[in-house]
């Protein structure tokens, strides 16, 4: 390729105006304990950009000097993207690599736990995966699905390689794994809120699948949240009628430090807006999760 030929948008060496070294191409940040989830997110993002060929060596560094500059440019961009997706404290300990594939292999060898021990460890967190108080159904589902994804990656289902099997054993193994996740999902769901929905799902004939169960639980969660919001609005309205007013007619509620919740006994809010009573919003759970992981 001569230097005056424009690189097509379908080429792996194409970079658009929005492709910058500082881009964060995935919101999953690599830490010492989440390599599998991070590598999956980075892989999908690079494939969406037609750049994963730099990682799996499908597109090796060319010998032609007329195109090697384009390859080097994209290779350096991928290295920047990968480093942007790593926690700053971890990045400080990573040695310099000028080849994206070499950096990828280094990260896998360092952070991907040995297959044998990890396969032995995974059943325990899967069995212990439960929806705790104030955890949304979606967050619980994603956590359980992530554990099974790691299990499938390290211990994939058996497939036939002879090319003569006609019983479709692969789909049967896949169905068995999906049913296993389905029952684990039902076991881990919160009994206090969703035992009724779970009983209905288990009694249906033919049995429902995992996707249908997830939809039913999220719909029930949404209905509960709507009911909670209605209660909050009614209590706020009642409070507005009873609350003392300032001389100019406005409700005197600016000083929240004097408020005490009748439910959790904590200061700074009222029972009508108590997260512990009505559920924690997504932004609060995400912020608390980041602070603990941080």
């Amino acid at each position: 390729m001569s230097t005056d030929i424009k690189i097509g948008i379908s080429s792996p060496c194409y970079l658009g105006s929005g492709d910058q070294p500082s881009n964060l191409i995935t919101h999953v940040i690599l830490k010492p304990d989440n390599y599998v989830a991070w590598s999956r997110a980075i892989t999908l993002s690079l494939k969406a950009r037609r750049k994963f060929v730099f990682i799996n060596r499908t597109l090796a560094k060319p010998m032609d000097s007329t195109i090697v500059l384009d390859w080097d440019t994209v290779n350096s961009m991928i290295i920047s993207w990968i480093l942007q997706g790593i926690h700053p404290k971890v990045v400080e300990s990573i040695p310099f690599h000028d080849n994206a594939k070499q950096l990828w292999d280094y990260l896998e060898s360092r952070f991907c736990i040995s297959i044998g021990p990890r396969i032995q460890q995974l059943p325990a967190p899967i069995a212990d995966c439960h929806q705790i108080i104030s955890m949304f159904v979606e967050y619980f589902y994603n956590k359980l699905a992530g554990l099974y994804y790691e299990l499938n990656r390290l211990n994939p289902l058996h497939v036939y390689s002879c090319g003569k099997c006609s019983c479709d054993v692969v789909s049967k193994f896949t169905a068995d794994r999906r049913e296993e996740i389905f029952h684990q999902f039902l076991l881990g769901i919160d009994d206090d809120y969703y035992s009724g929905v779970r009983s209905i799902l288990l009694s249906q004939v033919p049995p429902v699948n995992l996707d249908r169960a997830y939809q039913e639980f999220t719909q029930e969660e949404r209905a509960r949240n709507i009911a909670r919001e209605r209660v909050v609005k009614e209590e706020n309205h009642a409070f507005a009628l009873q609350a003392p007013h300032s001389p100019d007619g406005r409700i005197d509620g600016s000083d929240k430090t004097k408020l005490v919740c009748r439910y959790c006994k904590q200061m700074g809010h009222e029972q009508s807006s108590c997260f512990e009573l009505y559920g924690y919003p997504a932004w609060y759970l995400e912020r608390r999760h980041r602070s603990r992981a941080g």
Side-chain angles (χ1 to χ4, degrees), residues 19-282:
D19 293 323
Q20 302 294 330
S22 59
N23 286 1
L24 186 65
I25 64 173
T26 174
H27 292 294
V28 182
I29 303 300
L30 176 62
K31 299 176 182 178
D33 59 350
N34 69 337
Y35 173 79
V36 172
W38 175 84
S39 64
R40 175 180 59 178
I42 288 288
T43 297
L44 290 175
S45 186
L46 289 177
K47 285 184 176 180
R49 292 168 168 79
R50 303 175 185 264
K51 302 294 186 289
F52 193 69
V53 290
F54 284 79
I55 298 299
N56 63 9
R57 290 197 184 281
T58 303
L59 186 63
K61 187 171 183 177
M63 301 299 295
D64 189 346
S65 59
T66 61
I67 59 176
V68 69
L69 180 60
D70 297 323
W71 189 94
D72 282 335
T73 300
V74 178
N75 174 73
S76 298
M77 186 71 72
I78 294 174
I79 292 175
S80 297
W81 288 343
I82 292 176
L83 295 177
Q84 285 292 330
I86 303 177
H87 194 281
K89 293 183 179 178
V90 176
V91 138
E92 294 175 355
S93 63
I94 295 176
F96 174 77
H97 290 84
D98 59 2
N99 183 285
K101 171 61 176 174
Q102 293 175 0
L103 174 60
W104 184 263
D105 291 342
Y106 169 80
L107 294 173
E108 180 172 15
S109 65
R110 175 174 169 181
F111 293 103
C112 188
I113 301 175
S114 299
I115 292 178
R118 185 54 178 165
I119 292 176
Q120 295 177 350
Q121 295 170 4
L122 274 173
I126 289 176
D128 292 338
C129 188
H130 292 82
Q131 183 189 18
I132 61 175
I133 297 176
S134 303
M135 178 186 288
F136 289 97
V137 172
E138 180 182 6
Y139 186 86
F140 165 60
Y141 175 85
N142 291 339
K143 181 179 180 181
L144 181 63
L147 291 171
Y148 271 103
Y149 170 81
E150 184 175 1
L151 179 62
N152 287 333
R153 183 178 182 273
L154 299 178
N155 188 25
L157 298 173
H158 295 290
V159 297
Y160 59 86
S161 57
C162 62
K164 301 177 182 179
C165 183
S166 59
C167 64
D168 198 15
V169 67
V170 177
S171 63
K172 294 178 180 179
F173 279 130
T174 303
D176 288 344
R177 177 59 57 84
R178 292 281 292 179
E179 185 175 1
E180 178 184 344
I181 302 175
F182 167 69
H183 287 291
Q184 190 61 47
F185 181 63
L186 294 185
L187 287 173
I189 205 74
D190 192 324
D191 277 332
D192 295 335
Y193 289 114
Y194 303 108
S195 58
V197 179
R198 179 173 56 196
S199 298
I200 294 174
L201 292 175
L202 289 173
S203 64
Q204 292 187 10
V205 178
V208 301
N209 57 25
L210 178 63
D211 295 332
R212 174 68 184 281
Y214 174 75
Q215 294 173 4
E216 292 292 335
F217 285 120
T218 52
Q219 289 176 4
E220 175 68 14
E221 181 182 61
R222 192 176 299 113
R224 288 179 176 274
N225 289 337
I226 293 174
R228 288 171 180 169
E229 292 176 0
R230 185 181 299 115
V231 171
V232 170
K233 290 180 179 179
E234 292 175 354
E235 291 191 356
N236 287 341
H237 179 68
F239 172 76
L241 295 177
Q242 301 174 7
H245 290 68
S246 61
D248 60 359
R250 295 178 297 175
I251 298 176
D252 187 11
S254 58
D255 189 3
K256 294 185 179 181
T257 59
K258 298 180 181 179
L259 301 177
V260 180
C261 177
R262 290 178 296 173
Y263 179 78
C264 69
K265 310 304 180 184
Q266 299 294 320
M267 299 184 66
H269 66 276
E270 298 173 315
Q271 180 176 334
S272 61
S273 59
C274 180
F275 290 168
E276 186 172 339
L277 176 61
Y278 297 108
Y280 291 84

